Amino acid sequence: MMPNGLSLTGRRAFVTGGARGIGEAIARRLAAQGAEVVIADLDGAAAARLAEEIGASAVALDVTDLARVARVIADTGPFAILVNNAGVDQHAFFTKTTQEDWRRLLAVNLEAVFATTHAALPAMQAAGHGRIVNIASEAGRMGSRGGAVYAAAKGGVIAFTRSIARENGRKGITANAIAPGPVDTPLLRQAVAGGPRGLLDAMTSATLTGRLGTPDEVAAAVAFLASNEAAFITGETLGVSGGMGCGQ
Ligand code: NAD
């Protein structure tokens, strides 16, 4: 049986990018631990299918549409748990990246986190309770060869998360980031397909465990940070990366 402190019963959770990959595993975990989950994803049909299966709700949402993010959170909130998971990556050496790449990667990976947090935080402050978990990346701590723009966005997420933690620690709200290493999802497979040969092996070897992570291993950390058990943990960046970033 699940310890009481891990139960999320009665908690409402908003999960961006929750239709597949890591976000899907997060939605499944939070729902299994009792949360009422709203899955927000660009792919509204996939979000709706998953929601139906796990007893959640779904909304088609492009997190880069900042005005709509605010409307959706106002309409479907208030939320006790906010998980910023939606993200995009591309493998490209810096001189091959364009300003358009910069804008697109920062819009999804960083600016959207501003928008959801701005919309969800006031209700958490009023309730005196909240859990914000932002899915960053080890790239945001270590940098990334072939991922400078992505790393810049994820580094921004980590600094933003710490700042939200500092401002809200006395209001019952925690804010933590998770830094996954290579996790076997469509995003990883796409990024690897656009990179040099042997990239997947190199990423795998960079972990201390010598294997890729699973989406559920990230989701387990999210569910813990969202629970009462983690009330004294805030402003942290938790590597879920097979030790890839240990010591960072
Ligand atoms: P994924 O591509 O498998 O899934 C991402 C989900 O986000 C998809 O359902 C997609 O539709 C949704 N999404 C993308 N753009 C969106 C937008 N503009 N608005 C709303 N939804 C949008 O990716 P994943 O591997 O599951 O990644 C999840 C998070 O984990 C991302 O933030 C990613 O940067 C981070 N991450 C992943 C890895 C990895 O190896 N897979 C490593 C480190 C960090």
Side-chain angles (χ1 to χ4, degrees):
M1 215 178 90
M2 188 194 312
N4 277 347
L6 287 175
S7 167
L8 301 175
T9 301
R11 298 269 156 84
R12 307 199 66 246
F14 192 77
V15 181
T16 69
R20 74 173 193 195
I22 292 170
E24 173 182 347
I26 293 168
R28 286 183 185 279
R29 270 270 177 175
L30 297 185
Q33 290 185 209
E36 293 169 33
V37 179
V38 176
I39 303 166
D41 201 288
L42 204 52
D43 186 344
R49 279 194 300 276
L50 177 63
E52 165 96 24
E53 184 193 330
I54 65 174
S57 323
V59 56
L61 177 68
D62 180 346
V63 291
T64 66
D65 182 344
L66 305 190
R68 195 166 135 69
V69 167
R71 272 202 310 279
V72 163
I73 290 186
D75 290 350
T76 58
F79 293 100
I81 301 166
L82 170 64
V83 184
N84 284 301
N85 164 79
V88 288
D89 191 8
Q90 85 182 36
H91 189 282
F93 291 110
F94 181 63
T95 51
K96 303 275 187 235
T97 56
T98 63
Q99 194 170 15
E100 179 46 37
D101 296 329
W102 173 267
R103 290 202 174 115
R104 186 173 54 85
L105 288 185
L106 262 78
V108 183
N109 291 307
L110 182 56
E111 196 174 28
V113 179
F114 153 82
T116 56
T117 309
H118 210 272
L121 194 53
M124 292 180 181
Q125 290 172 336
H129 174 87
R131 294 280 185 272
I132 298 174
V133 185
N134 294 328
I135 309 303
S137 169
E138 288 292 11
R141 302 201 279 193
M142 304 172 68
S144 167
R145 192 169 177 275
V149 176
Y150 178 75
K154 294 299 193 180
V157 169
I158 289 169
F160 177 74
T161 306
R162 283 195 190 130
S163 305
I164 296 299
R166 287 186 186 279
E167 285 186 15
N168 292 280
R170 289 168 187 251
K171 297 177 182 143
I173 298 165
T174 68
N176 292 287
I178 289 183
V183 176
D184 199 358
T185 67
L187 175 139
L188 182 79
R189 296 284 165 183
Q190 274 160 21
V192 162
R197 267 213 345 226
L199 180 59
L200 188 62
D201 286 345
M203 288 171 119
T204 307
S205 309
T207 68
L208 308 187
T209 50
R211 67 169 175 85
L212 300 178
T214 68
D216 198 48
E217 287 172 324
V218 180
V222 174
F224 168 64
L225 290 172
S227 76
N228 286 342
E229 301 271 287
F232 203 47
I233 302 174
T234 192
E236 297 292 346
T237 301
L238 176 61
V240 183
S241 58
M244 175 189 233
C246 72
Q248 296 289 316

